[in-house]
Amino acid sequence: MVAQLIDGKAIALQLRTKIHDEISQLQAKHHDFKPSLTIIQVGDRPDSSTYVRMKLKAAEEANIECKIINLAESVTEFEILTEIQKLNNSLDVDGILVQLPLPAHLDEAKITSAVLAEKDVDGFGPFNVGELSKKGGNPTFLPCTPKGIITLLNVSNVKIEGSNAVVLGRSDIVGKPIANLLTQANATVTILHSRTPLPQLQAYLNNADIVVAAIGNPQFVKGEWLKEGAVVIDVGTNFIPDASKKSGSRMVGDVEFESASVKASLITPVPGGVGPMTVATLLENVILAAKRHYSKNNETPKFTNPLRLNLQKPVPSDFEISRAQQPKRITQVAEEAGILDSELEPFGFYKAKVSLDLLKRLDNKVNGKYVLVTGITPTPLGEGKSTTTVGLAQALGAHLNKNVFANVRQPSMGPTFGIKGGAAGGGYSQVIPMDEFNMHVTGDIHAITMANNLLAAAIDTRIFHESTQKDGPLYKRLVPAKKGVRKFTPSMLRRLNKLGIDKTDPDSLTPEEVSQFARLDIDPETITWRRVVDCNDRFLRGITIGEAPTEKGFTRKTGFDITVASECMAILALANSLEDMRERLGKMVIASSKAGVPITAEDIGCAGALTALLKDAIKPNIMQTLEGTPVFVHAGPFANISIGASSILADKMALKLAGTSPDLSAEERQEQEGYVVTEAGFDFTMGGERFINIKCRSSGLVPDVIVIVATVRALKVHGGGPEVKAGAPLAAAYTEENVELLQVGCSNLAKHISNAKSYGLPVVVAINKMSSDTDKEHEIIREEALKAGAIDAIVSNHWEEGGKGAIDLAEGVISAANSIDRDFKFLYDTAPSVEDKIATIAKEMYGAGEVEFLPEAQKKIDLYTKQGFGNLPICIAKTQYSLSHDANLKGVPTGFKFPIRDVRASIGAGYLYALAAEIQTIPGLPTHCGFMNVEVNEDGEIDGLF
């Protein structure tokens, strides 16, 4: 008989045409679907170059972007592994192929193993090889040549199941994997190799229905060794001398074609058999990688792996609960949330930073739902906003299987070691590990401290040098020659541009321009920039600097703030990108010149260095809740004089991770989308108002629903109940049913609901249950909330039961977030005067009758307006314990005169803040401090922190 040829070229062409059509169809629906392959070739072996050109041509014909990286024959192992790592981390690369063989000095197994499993389109990595070799394994990719062989057999209608198959060759590239694939197809497989005795080898071949020859020995298999009618797959690519060829050689397989084609029923030619299929199946693997990559970037993973809570009654201390729960490794938390390994920077086992590259990768996704948690006017004990934020996230993720993020601020260690304690939530709704959450996290606050104090040092140093030098020497030292060349720094070029000096050569400035550039002429009386420390050190509130004799009598009265009060922290929270943070840091106004010109960090030449100090701090930190749902912990701007909320970047990243493909229907989107639960500081009237009018203005994001947390206890305070003090026993009015106090106090809740609804957003009230509450009291709150315009008011017992206790609240939030009852608008436009914007906030949000601007405040308003800062949003610093400026005015005071005693500028952060009360920007320590309880046990664990 004469064997029929298995035309690998024709079958490969069909497969490549199918691949091209599939790409075209996908791109018609998803315009950003762009499959890409990168091939690494080491050296310039002629055979390797031929194969690479074939793959490149085939990829181009299939509409796959293909890039070749040529490395020198002498490349080191470290260099090639570094290149692979870059490709592993690249968002633009779907598949990576290392062209084999590699030079002898390189460890081939180590290098091919370095390729990520999801990009290992050759199928040679340890994961894919291991999965292929085990029973029930699930490799991400099959090796190309074996996969192509199976395709050839299937297309040629060769019956594999029950057949007797012989594989000649035991390489990891062809022999072993094709043997595994044939076994999986239920053939009886025998592997032979170069050390198999020839008689034994011939005997096995003589009984084989299918022969796969991949031994690398030209024309080794003879026709007389074969079984009549056998199917022969020749994988060999060998070159033998042939004077009739222009090259002097020709390609032959491992099978003697002439004699084998007489015995076999089907046979692959060489060339034109297996070779084209190897390339075609490679392209098929690239498409598979690209589709998976695209799907991973667009699909919202459901949360399906919660940590179990061991609920106990009475509820143990927060610290005992936190210590009793074993957290997941943060790498697992991130993977479940859809964060790539290349986007994660672990800090130990349970916290990590997340790269901003994630935003680029997920740019095309439609944001998930955005839930803002705020509260009523609180008591000094707090009303559980953080606990509610965490509990709601646990309910959405661990119990309703939604992709969810809780986004919270990083707490300052000053209050942690003072009297306030931590801010990780409480009971069975916490961020864990709570000691790591409340101490350091990944060092962002320390970075803020360094950046802030570098600028403070730069300001006083500049004043000192300007006061002791004339223009020429000052300019010469500011712009020194290095290796005979003088150059302006980027900050200097920005200052020149601000001054209208269009020159880049330092030697070309006129004496007048030199003086204008070099002399900031800062008025020390106008300096607003203070040093910071993350500690409640009350004795740093007012200090005198410059007392050392080396400062030549230059002294100045100043003081310290707590680190989270730094404008650098506000910028970290409000920046939309690294570039945006750099611009904002440069715009920070630290003083005025004696001529009244605002002096910025850019003028000082410090903005670039500040950015360098904060380049890692800008990356959000990821942790987890008690039930294993992810939490972004990032930024912590002081709630009294800033927005008191976590960062815009954390919100944006979480919303993309919780987001969905743009191609979904409304019904599909609602089913798949996740939720981001973020918290605003203090009550809605302060924290919520700033969140929307300042943070949302910067981010362009708008909440889908506002959750207002209320407690029976706090509402009774606003109904006229006895004063509540931290550390003091609660009066009976708060531990026993008192409908009258509660009914009156609900007016405070109604005012917050009204305030929230004025932004055109739906409102849900979360009634944070406490053990002394009664059902009747809860029903009164619900009735009053609905009467005031809330969509729903839902009792939540997350402190005692974790996410399980907040399921009803979560379902109510989902319903409200998907309602169409919204018509968003800001409270005010930024165009009106500073006075008008302050009056709008005071009257509309607080209930003031009029606003009084004290002389110092009016002076500042006039100055900032003159300097061009009058069109910024406003942040009003006042007490959090009343809707008014007076902490003693409970309930819903109205018609009062609202005093503005001072106005200050946070130009880099992008707002002015008006002071209506004396706000301490560095708290003091109490008699018995939190730090007195802290110890480290023999296991190195922190005890007594909370």
Side-chain angles (χ1 to χ4, degrees):
M1 65 180 301
V2 177
Q4 181 179 341
L5 290 182
I6 299 177
D7 191 345
K9 279 187 178 180
I11 297 172
L13 180 60
Q14 292 173 11
L15 182 55
R16 283 159 54 182
T17 302
K18 178 186 171 186
I19 291 168
H20 184 277
D21 292 344
E22 184 179 5
I23 293 174
S24 298
Q25 290 171 16
L26 284 166
Q27 288 179 335
K29 187 176 181 182
H30 309 289
H31 67 278
D32 55 340
F33 180 73
K34 298 173 182 175
S36 66
L37 169 68
T38 298
I39 301 173
I40 297 176
Q41 182 183 356
V42 179
D44 55 0
R45 280 179 54 132
D47 54 346
S48 289
S49 297
T50 299
Y51 297 143
V52 167
R53 283 195 298 270
M54 286 169 53
K55 292 167 185 175
L56 177 61
K57 181 181 178 184
E60 289 174 346
E61 289 174 353
N63 202 17
I64 294 173
E65 293 182 359
C66 188
K67 179 182 177 184
I68 312 296
I69 296 178
N70 292 109
L71 301 176
E73 179 91 15
S74 60
V75 68
T76 66
E77 191 172 275
F78 176 79
E79 288 170 335
I80 191 170
L81 288 173
T82 301
E83 194 67 48
I84 290 171
Q85 188 60 39
K86 290 178 185 176
L87 298 174
N88 283 340
N89 293 338
S90 173
L91 302 178
D92 300 321
V93 176
D94 295 313
I96 303 169
L97 185 153
V98 179
Q99 182 63 41
L100 302 179
L102 293 172
H105 70 281
L106 298 174
D107 186 334
E108 200 166 274
K110 185 176 181 180
I111 288 167
T112 55
S113 297
V115 178
L116 276 180
E118 57 263 36
K119 295 190 178 186
D120 174 29
V121 290
D122 245 347
F124 293 161
F127 174 83
N128 288 314
V129 170
E131 287 295 304
L132 177 60
S133 63
K134 73 182 185 184
K135 184 178 180 180
N138 186 27
T140 306
F141 301 105
L142 296 174
C144 299
T145 299
K147 183 179 180 180
I149 291 169
I150 295 296
T151 302
L152 288 175
L153 293 172
N154 289 333
V155 171
S156 302
N157 297 314
V158 175
K159 185 175 181 291
I160 300 176
E161 184 170 350
S163 66
N164 186 16
V166 168
V167 176
L168 186 56
R170 54 183 173 178
S171 73
D172 292 331
I173 296 174
V174 179
K176 290 177 183 177
I178 189 58
N180 285 323
L181 287 174
L182 288 167
T183 301
Q184 289 176 14
N186 298 317
T188 300
V189 182
T190 304
I191 299 179
L192 308 176
H193 47 78
S194 60
R195 299 298 176 91
T196 304
L198 189 60
Q200 190 177 346
L201 184 148
Q202 292 175 1
Y204 276 110
L205 287 174
N206 191 250
N207 195 40
D209 301 309
I210 300 172
V211 175
V212 178
I215 200 169
N217 192 339
Q219 300 179 330
F220 174 74
V221 178
K222 311 303 180 186
E224 55 267 26
W225 299 353
L226 299 174
K227 177 182 178 181
E228 188 76 29
V231 176
V232 178
I233 305 296
D234 192 351
V235 187
T237 52
N238 312 286
F239 289 89
I240 62 174
D242 187 339
S244 67
K245 299 292 183 182
K246 185 177 180 181
S247 62
S249 64
R250 64 184 173 92
M251 182 188 291
V252 297
D254 290 346
V255 177
E256 188 179 70
F257 185 81
E258 289 75 10
S259 62
S261 60
V262 176
K263 279 297 262 314
S265 60
L266 292 168
I267 190 168
T268 56
V270 177
V274 174
M277 288 303 299
T278 300
V279 176
T281 50
L282 168 65
L283 302 183
E284 194 173 39
N285 280 353
V286 173
I287 295 305
L288 187 60
K291 286 162 66 177
R292 286 173 176 160
H293 188 186
Y294 190 84
S295 176
K296 193 170 185 178
N297 286 354
N298 285 275
E299 289 183 2
T300 303
K302 287 185 178 293
F303 184 83
T304 57
N305 189 27
L307 296 176
R308 182 178 298 179
L309 291 179
N310 180 24
L311 300 175
Q312 298 181 38
K313 290 186 180 180
V315 176
S317 71
D318 292 351
F319 193 60
E320 288 174 310
I321 293 171
S322 175
R323 181 64 60 81
Q325 182 67 293
Q326 175 59 50
K328 303 175 189 177
R329 294 290 179 100
I330 199 62
T331 49
Q332 181 182 351
V333 175
E335 182 181 8
E336 291 169 359
I339 298 168
L340 303 181
D341 182 66
S342 60
E343 295 163 344
L344 199 70
E345 300 172 18
F347 279 67
F349 294 139
Y350 306 122
K351 57 185 183 286
K353 282 198 163 292
V354 181
S355 169
L356 302 188
D357 289 343
L358 180 145
L359 288 171
K360 177 184 174 185
R361 175 172 68 89
L362 303 180
D363 179 60
N364 67 316
K365 288 184 77 172
V366 176
N367 286 346
K369 293 298 184 187
Y370 198 24
V371 182
L372 172 61
V373 176
T374 180
I376 63 169
T377 305
T379 69
L381 302 180
E383 307 318 313
K385 285 195 314 301
S386 297
T387 307
T388 302
T389 298
V390 175
L392 175 56
Q394 289 179 174
L396 286 163
H399 297 272
L400 299 180
N401 304 124
K402 297 291 185 182
N403 185 313
V404 65
F405 274 85
N407 283 11
V408 298
R409 287 183 292 167
Q410 179 182 344
S412 166
M413 283 192 293
T416 295
F417 287 123
I419 194 171
K420 182 181 178 183
Y428 287 103
S429 295
Q430 297 184 45
V431 180
I432 58 171
M434 69 181 307
D435 50 350
E436 294 190 28
F437 174 87
N438 286 295
M439 294 181 67
H440 305 293
V441 189
T442 57
D444 295 347
I445 290 180
H446 303 306
I448 293 288
T449 302
M450 271 302 304
N452 184 99
N453 293 346
L454 173 63
L455 180 54
I459 293 165
D460 291 310
T461 297
R462 185 61 173 264
I463 295 173
F464 173 81
H465 287 309
E466 285 191 28
S467 67
T468 57
Q469 300 179 60
K470 293 182 179 179
D471 290 353
L474 176 65
Y475 181 63
K476 187 175 181 181
R477 289 184 174 92
L478 278 173
V479 195
K482 293 182 180 180
K483 296 182 180 180
V485 179
R486 299 178 74 192
K487 289 180 65 176
F488 289 123
T489 66
S491 261
M492 291 176 177
L493 291 171
R494 289 172 184 244
R495 173 158 173 77
L496 287 166
N497 184 60
K498 173 182 173 180
L499 296 171
I501 301 174
D502 186 20
K503 294 180 180 179
T504 56
D505 179 5
D507 294 323
S508 66
L509 268 63
T510 66
E512 293 77 13
E513 290 170 338
V514 165
S515 178
Q516 191 181 7
F517 168 81
R519 201 161 292 283
L520 301 180
D521 201 24
I522 295 171
D523 180 357
E525 296 297 319
T526 67
I527 295 174
T528 56
W529 199 260
R530 291 155 61 94
R531 287 161 175 82
V532 297
V533 63
D534 193 27
C535 177
N536 289 4
D537 193 345
R538 66 190 309 132
F539 289 95
L540 292 177
R541 289 171 178 168
I543 63 169
T544 302
I545 60 172
E547 294 287 358
T550 52
E551 309 323 308
K552 302 179 182 179
F554 172 67
T555 62
R556 181 170 71 83
K557 288 189 177 297
T558 182
F560 274 73
D561 293 331
I562 198 163
T563 298
V564 292
S566 169
E567 187 176 351
C568 294
M569 177 62 86
I571 287 173
L572 186 72
L574 290 166
N576 287 279
S577 65
L578 182 64
E579 295 77 16
D580 184 32
M581 183 176 74
R582 167 65 179 80
E583 292 301 314
R584 288 171 177 269
L585 290 170
K587 290 177 181 177
M588 292 189 301
V589 174
I590 52 88
S592 294
S593 71
K594 291 171 183 173
V597 177
I599 304 298
T600 66
E602 198 75 80
D603 293 323
I604 298 283
C606 213
L610 301 184
T611 307
L613 285 168
L614 299 179
K615 73 176 182 66
D616 291 320
I618 197 174
K619 302 170 188 174
N621 310 296
I622 186 171
M623 295 185 72
Q624 65 191 289
T625 69
L626 277 167
E627 297 191 58
T629 59
V631 181
F632 272 136
V633 181
H634 197 219
F638 201 49
N640 294 92
I641 62 168
S642 187
I643 63 167
S646 63
S647 75
I648 283 173
L649 283 168
D651 287 358
K652 285 189 169 183
M653 292 170 77
L655 285 165
K656 290 299 182 187
L657 287 163
T660 51
S661 168
D663 306 310
L664 299 181
S665 67
E667 293 77 16
E668 290 172 326
R669 177 160 294 112
Q670 186 172 338
E671 168 61 26
Q672 294 183 26
E673 67 191 346
Y675 289 77
V676 177
V677 186
T678 191
E679 179 188 354
F682 297 142
D683 59 3
F684 180 83
T685 296
M686 290 180 67
E689 180 271 315
R690 297 170 187 173
F691 186 98
I692 293 174
N693 289 306
I694 297 176
K695 184 176 177 181
C696 291
R697 264 198 171 93
S698 176
S699 68
L701 303 171
V702 177
D704 292 288
V705 60
I706 296 170
V707 176
I708 297 179
V709 180
T711 59
V712 170
R713 178 182 64 196
L715 291 173
K716 286 179 178 178
V717 170
H718 292 293
E723 185 179 1
V724 172
K725 293 183 178 179
L730 284 172
Y734 301 117
T735 58
E736 300 172 0
E737 187 176 282
N738 191 320
V739 172
E740 291 75 19
L741 274 181
L742 180 62
Q743 193 88 46
V744 176
C746 278
S747 60
N748 183 272
L749 171 60
K751 174 59 175 169
H752 284 290
I753 293 171
S754 173
N755 283 349
K757 284 185 67 64
S758 70
Y759 294 88
L761 299 173
V763 176
V764 172
V765 173
I767 304 171
N768 187 11
K769 182 180 179 181
M770 296 185 178
S771 57
S772 60
D773 297 354
T774 67
D775 291 344
K776 187 174 181 180
E777 288 174 326
H778 290 161
E779 187 55 37
I780 287 171
I781 296 174
R782 176 175 166 78
E783 289 174 0
E784 294 299 320
L786 295 179
K787 191 186 303 180
I791 284 183
D792 209 343
I794 303 167
V795 178
S796 185
N797 195 21
H798 46 276
W799 181 82
E800 194 171 47
E801 297 182 341
K804 175 186 173 185
I807 291 174
D808 289 346
L809 176 61
E811 290 175 339
V813 166
I814 289 173
S815 176
N818 287 284
S819 73
I820 58 172
D821 180 23
R822 69 192 67 245
D823 181 23
F824 176 74
K825 53 185 175 294
F826 291 111
L827 177 65
Y828 56 83
D829 189 67
T830 56
S833 68
V834 175
E835 294 93 335
D836 286 347
K837 286 178 285 197
I838 291 173
T840 297
I841 296 170
K843 292 176 180 178
E844 297 294 327
M845 294 286 104
Y846 309 156
E850 62 175 300
V851 178
E852 177 186 27
F853 295 95
L854 300 181
E856 180 64 21
Q858 192 61 59
K859 177 183 173 185
K860 294 283 189 65
I861 290 171
D862 294 341
L863 173 64
Y864 295 142
T865 302
K866 180 182 177 182
Q867 291 177 336
F869 306 135
N871 62 343
L872 294 175
I874 303 295
C875 175
I876 298 180
K878 72 174 189 68
T879 179
Q880 66 268 35
Y881 297 124
S882 171
L883 286 166
S884 73
H885 61 288
D886 184 349
N888 295 315
L889 297 179
K890 304 301 182 184
V892 186
T894 58
F896 52 87
K897 183 184 289 186
F898 191 76
I900 298 295
R901 65 177 185 83
D902 196 6
V903 177
R904 297 175 186 170
S906 290
I907 305 305
Y911 58 82
L912 303 178
Y913 65 97
L915 280 72
E918 186 64 43
I919 302 296
Q920 293 291 355
T921 51
I922 183 166
L925 292 170
T927 304
H928 182 88
C929 304
F931 64 73
M932 294 177 178
N933 306 314
V934 177
E935 290 290 347
V936 178
N937 65 28
E938 58 190 17
D939 296 322
E941 298 171 328
I942 299 170
D943 284 334
L945 191 55
F946 311 102

